[in-house]
Amino acid sequence: MAARVIDISRMSEKQLSEISRRMRRNSHFRNSTAYRAEPVDERVFAPLADTIAKDGCRLDRIEENFRATKFRHFENIRGDGFRSHISYYLGFLFETAVQMSILRFSQENPELITVLRDTSGTLSGGRYFSVDSRGSAVFYRPADNGRAMQTIAEIDLVGEIREMGSVVPVIFEITLMNDHRKDFKIRRKSELLEELYGHKPYFCVVRPAYTDEVPGVSLQFSAERGVWRDMLTPRNDAIRALASRLLDEEHMERETGPQAASSGA
């Protein structure tokens, strides 16, 4: 029997809750249901996914940009053991690679998507936001009776899509984790960008494809999150190897540092 096609992008929250409930109760329901993509999927998200997949081999540029903006010493990493250290490097390298790809795609296709960069501003209630050269945004609010600022949300990259004469924001979350197990605080971030742009944002999770998952873009939804895009990239062993090399370099620097200091003395 052919799958039923459902345009979930036009569903209300109540309808999404009901269809999500049916999926949890009946595992066959999801397999018999297909989702109608929106024009933006074919026009923007699908070609962007192709660009990210192809750019993964540009290791020299990835390392250069990583060292310039994201490099940290492993002794500052939370957690102990080799696994936590390699995950730290791998996570930042993957984030750097994806950010570079989205920036390049936006520069080559500004009529499709741009990236919010190098800016700051204020929202209601004295809240403040700052966006760096990569498109990463941090939102703050006053704390301690206005004597300090507290971080309330962080977005890995803020994109801007042109639709019907308007600018619609996109929240890009870049992660190594299966997004079904991670809390992205979607509602809070969506509310902040909706206040900033006047339009409800798209939400796109970019992560590696695991096990039998197929790279590409798929439309997903849940009662808690609403509609979002899963953008799965091919497994990149070269980036993992680069992460291992950077970690080895850090260990060597830490070991040789005290020796060099004592020799100089």
Side-chain angles (χ1 to χ4, degrees):
M1 182 177 66
R4 290 192 300 160
V5 178
I6 299 178
D7 188 352
I8 61 175
S9 66
R10 302 182 185 279
M11 285 185 174
S12 65
E13 288 190 13
K14 183 177 180 180
Q15 290 171 319
L16 284 171
S17 296
E18 174 60 22
I19 198 170
S20 179
R21 182 187 66 80
R22 293 181 64 184
M23 283 185 174
R24 289 195 300 268
R25 295 182 61 180
N26 186 349
S27 60
H28 299 292
F29 181 79
R30 185 182 185 94
N31 296 330
S32 65
T33 306
Y35 311 115
R36 188 187 307 280
E38 296 182 76
V40 70
D41 292 297
E42 182 177 354
R43 189 167 58 93
V44 179
F45 290 118
L48 178 57
D50 291 339
T51 296
I52 293 174
K54 294 174 182 176
D55 280 356
C57 59
R58 305 172 68 191
L59 290 182
D60 54 339
R61 293 283 295 146
I62 292 172
E63 180 176 356
E64 178 184 341
N65 280 270
F66 172 79
R67 287 182 179 277
T69 60
K70 292 290 187 182
F71 195 64
R72 303 290 187 275
H73 292 290
F74 75 90
E75 57 264 26
N76 296 326
I77 303 170
R78 294 182 180 180
D80 299 317
F82 178 82
R83 182 178 180 83
S84 65
H85 299 338
I86 194 69
S87 295
Y88 171 87
Y89 280 98
L90 187 58
F92 270 113
L93 284 169
F94 181 69
E95 179 181 318
T96 299
V98 172
Q99 287 174 326
M100 287 175 56
S101 293
I102 296 176
L103 284 169
R104 187 171 74 84
F105 183 87
S106 69
Q107 291 164 355
E108 295 176 353
N109 304 276
E111 75 283 1
L112 298 180
I113 186 172
T114 54
V115 175
L116 182 66
R117 306 171 62 191
D118 297 318
T119 188
S120 61
T122 57
L123 298 172
S124 63
R127 293 171 299 167
Y128 171 84
F129 70 90
S130 176
V131 189
D132 66 16
S133 61
R134 295 283 189 83
S136 296
V138 183
F139 292 81
Y140 308 90
R141 66 183 171 197
D144 193 20
N145 293 322
R147 290 189 291 269
M149 299 296 285
Q150 178 185 20
T151 300
I152 56 176
E154 297 182 54
I155 299 175
D156 292 333
L157 187 143
V158 178
E160 302 173 324
I161 291 179
R162 269 63 185 170
E163 285 188 343
M164 304 292 290
S166 299
V167 178
V168 181
V170 187
I171 298 172
F172 285 100
E173 291 291 347
I174 307 166
T175 179
L176 297 177
M177 295 178 61
N178 184 317
D179 57 279
H180 293 279
R181 295 175 8 213
K182 184 170 182 178
D183 179 13
F184 291 106
K185 298 179 175 59
I186 293 177
R187 181 166 297 180
R188 177 185 300 174
K189 296 175 183 180
S190 294
E191 289 173 350
L192 289 167
L193 286 193
E194 188 170 2
E195 180 177 345
L196 184 61
Y197 285 88
H199 294 278
K200 187 175 181 179
Y202 290 106
F203 189 85
C204 183
V205 177
V206 186
R207 65 177 179 86
Y210 293 112
T211 316
D212 297 326
E213 293 180 324
V214 178
V217 182
S218 63
L219 195 61
Q220 305 289 336
F221 79 94
S222 70
E224 296 78 18
R225 294 184 176 184
V227 179
W228 80 94
R229 272 80 184 166
D230 253 351
M231 188 176 291
L232 307 188
T233 67
R235 177 184 172 89
N236 194 323
D237 291 328
I239 285 184
R240 182 172 291 275
L242 176 58
S244 296
R245 176 167 65 79
L246 290 172
L247 178 60
D248 289 341
E249 289 178 6
E250 278 293 291
H251 278 290
M252 290 180 64
E253 288 180 13
R254 191 179 186 189
E255 291 174 359
T256 59
Q259 296 176 6
S262 61
S263 297

